[in-house]
Amino acid sequence: DGGITQSPKYLFRKEGQNVTLSCEQNLNHDAMYWYRQDPGQGLRLIYYSQIVNDFQKGDIAEGYSVSREKKESFPLTVTSAQKNPTAFYLCASSIEVYNEQFFGPGTRLTVL
Amino acid sequence: KNEVEQSPQNLTAQEGEFITINCSYSVGISALHWLQQHPGGGIVSLFMLSSGKKKHGRLIATINIQEKHSSLHITASHPRDSAVYICAARRGGTSYGKLTFGQGTILTVHP
């Protein structure tokens, strides 16, 4: 089955630690995205990648980093510089950057 | 004011009722998406439309480009329709392709 997987579903970390969220897709999509969702707010774009070895900052990139070494994978690292890391993180992909996006199941990160 | 506004924020209905969720946007768009988010958090795309009306089963989405307004209708609602419904504007112009999301409408359908 083709789709997007994110792991783990729930993640707990201590304040000051970096943490990496996984996103994998087997849809053969070129573009991938990371969004953050907070209660009562719309999804906000953190980073996106149009193609392998390329990525661009979104609206709220500060305190986050990404890599795109393989077409299938777009991991997101939440660094200790992110002031408010507790949130629900969603990964998405699309055939090309301007096409319909498909979403993964999300990872809920709680920083204690 | 948010660029994409949804109303209502919360909606409670009895099974069988006709439901309407509204989305207004203030930016130029190339298309508008309706998404469904279930309690577990995963998001499913319901519709992408740039004009007129689309129908899938009991769901109908309409858009009025001149009025910058879209609606999602659910006919004969069922408890399994309970979810968060999100509209997202696919931007045009210099931000072409970028999605701007509404805050979501929480729908609860009681049996």
Side-chain angles (χ1 to χ4, degrees):
Chain A
D1 277 327
I4 302 173
T5 57
Q6 290 186 243
S7 60
K9 190 164 177 62
Y10 299 95
L11 190 53
F12 297 88
R13 277 295 181 270
K14 289 184 180 177
E15 197 172 336
Q17 288 181 335
N18 291 357
V19 60
T20 297
L21 281 59
S22 164
C23 177
E24 304 277 331
Q25 54 96 1
N26 60 3
L27 300 167
N28 201 32
H29 286 174
D30 279 323
M32 297 186 75
Y33 314 78
W34 274 106
Y35 294 96
R36 171 184 170 133
Q37 187 178 37
D38 295 283
Q41 293 191 40
L43 277 70
R44 292 180 290 168
L45 181 65
I46 304 172
Y47 267 98
Y48 69 99
S49 167
Q50 295 191 50
I51 201 163
V52 175
N53 293 321
D54 171 80
F55 50 83
Q56 307 291 333
K57 290 182 179 180
D59 298 319
I60 54 164
E62 186 175 346
Y64 299 98
S65 66
V66 293
S67 62
R68 186 85 188 278
E69 296 175 3
K70 296 189 297 181
K71 188 175 187 177
E72 303 80 23
S73 179
F74 190 40
L76 173 75
T77 297
V78 185
T79 75
S80 56
Q82 167 49 232
K83 292 185 172 56
N84 234 353
T86 294
F88 187 61
Y89 291 88
L90 282 152
C91 177
S93 71
S94 61
I95 294 173
E96 294 178 344
V97 72
Y98 302 136
N99 287 103
E100 182 177 9
Q101 295 179 24
F102 296 84
F103 289 83
T107 292
R108 189 167 300 281
L109 172 65
T110 303
V111 175
L112 306 168
Chain B
K1 190 176 187 293
N2 293 333
E3 293 174 324
V4 179
E5 290 273 359
Q6 288 184 235
S7 64
Q9 290 191 13
N10 286 280
L11 183 54
T12 301
Q14 289 298 124
E15 185 172 356
E17 285 184 357
F18 181 84
I19 285 161
T20 296
I21 299 170
N22 295 299
C23 177
S24 296
Y25 53 91
S26 57
V27 295
I29 69 166
S30 58
L32 188 119
H33 297 258
W34 281 101
L35 311 168
Q36 181 190 56
Q37 185 173 30
H38 274 282
I43 289 178
V44 173
S45 179
L46 298 174
F47 296 104
M48 181 175 71
L49 65 165
S50 53
S51 65
K53 175 179 169 179
K54 285 192 176 181
K55 184 175 190 291
H56 186 255
R58 294 180 295 106
L59 301 177
I60 303 166
T62 63
I63 189 167
N64 185 318
I65 298 293
Q66 285 73 31
E67 294 186 6
K68 295 191 172 182
H69 181 268
S70 176
S71 293
L72 176 69
H73 305 285
I74 305 175
T75 63
S77 60
H78 190 276
R80 64 174 175 267
D81 296 325
S82 298
V84 179
Y85 291 85
I86 301 169
C87 74
R90 177 174 296 279
R91 303 290 291 270
T94 55
S95 298
Y96 188 80
K98 182 181 173 184
L99 290 179
T100 301
F101 295 83
Q103 76 275 35
T105 295
I106 302 171
L107 172 64
T108 304
V109 181
H110 293 295

